[in-house]
Amino acid sequence: MSKLERFALWGVWGTVVVLVVVMIAIVRQLGFLLGAVRLQGARVGDESLEVGTELGTLSASTLTGDSIEIGLIEAPQDLQLLLSISPGCSSCSALMPGFKRLERLSRPRYRTALVALAGDPEQIDKYVTEYRLQRIPVIHDRALVERLELAVAPYAIVISTRDGRILARGTVNTVAQIEGLQLAAEAKLGSTSEELEEDSHELVES
């Protein structure tokens, strides 16, 4: 191999090394950007009822055949967290381990329940067993899904048990996004309906 050929070969390898370094830098930057977006909180869209909506007291059926009350209820906890799930939803499955830990930590202040959007009882029961969700009530009630206008999963709604109003809601893909909704709801607890509506519009516009 001549010197010119060796020089050309080294030039090619040098170019490859530079490209690899650049690609690694780009991937790292994208990772930082995605992390920042996720930590900003849940995306609020038009999938469900507006923040500030008064639900009153709703009754729904669980997977085990029991009845559970949603909204304005007498409970030691001030807040209620509902998370929609679907057995075929990969995002829901990825969220479950972290969600279970959050549910345990939130028990002193939150009554938590899962809302199944799709699947027959057998599919949902298999899902509950696979992810060990037996301690969390799983609502399987089409009437409640329609009342809350839930159409996507995973989607979280935080409700005040004091007056049955929706305090926060949004599509969630990470535990950090659910925690963001919890913080927003806790800050709004005790606010008037007008204040909640203004906050909701400001969040959507931003």
Side-chain angles (χ1 to χ4, degrees):
M1 182 181 294
S2 66
K3 289 183 178 181
L4 182 59
E5 290 174 334
R6 285 198 296 270
F7 181 78
L9 182 60
W10 280 109
V12 170
W13 278 109
T15 302
V16 171
V17 171
V18 171
L19 289 174
V20 170
V21 172
V22 171
M23 288 299 296
I24 292 174
I26 291 174
V27 170
R28 289 187 63 188
Q29 188 62 32
L30 286 174
F32 292 145
L33 290 174
L34 287 173
V37 170
R38 287 169 181 160
L39 289 175
Q40 284 178 357
R43 179 177 62 85
V44 176
D46 298 322
E47 293 91 346
S48 71
L49 298 176
E50 292 291 334
V51 169
T53 299
E54 295 184 6
L55 297 175
T57 303
L58 305 176
S59 182
S61 299
T62 67
L63 185 64
T64 58
D66 298 323
S67 179
I68 185 173
E69 290 189 332
I70 306 297
L72 175 59
I73 58 177
E74 291 186 7
Q77 298 92 343
D78 295 324
L79 299 159
Q80 194 166 40
L81 172 64
L82 303 180
L83 179 70
S84 67
I85 59 170
S86 175
C89 169
S90 58
S91 296
C92 300
S93 299
L95 189 60
M96 285 303 101
F99 174 74
K100 288 195 299 180
R101 289 192 295 272
L102 178 63
E103 187 273 334
R104 287 196 299 270
L105 294 173
S106 301
R107 283 176 191 169
R109 197 168 190 189
Y110 284 84
R111 291 170 62 90
T112 301
L114 296 168
V115 182
L117 293 189
D120 57 39
E122 184 177 348
Q123 290 174 315
I124 300 169
D125 186 61
K126 182 179 179 181
Y127 187 89
V128 168
T129 301
E130 180 179 357
Y131 293 99
R132 300 180 181 179
L133 302 170
Q134 290 87 349
R135 292 180 61 89
I136 306 174
V138 180
I139 297 171
H140 188 232
D141 192 312
R142 176 52 53 182
L144 180 74
V145 170
E146 293 177 353
R147 175 67 182 89
L148 297 178
E149 299 180 11
L150 288 170
V152 296
Y155 194 94
I157 300 178
V158 183
I159 304 166
S160 167
T161 60
R162 296 178 183 176
D163 52 24
R165 289 182 299 169
I166 294 177
L167 298 178
R169 48 95 181 186
T171 305
V172 293
N173 290 298
T174 66
V175 172
Q177 290 177 336
I178 300 176
E179 290 174 323
L181 288 179
Q182 288 180 319
L183 290 174
E186 291 164 13
K188 294 173 183 175
L189 196 63
S191 300
T192 64
S193 297
E194 290 76 12
E195 290 171 337
L196 290 176
E197 186 175 355
E198 289 177 4
D199 290 344
S200 177
H201 289 323
E202 289 176 1
L203 182 56
V204 172
E205 291 172 358
S206 62

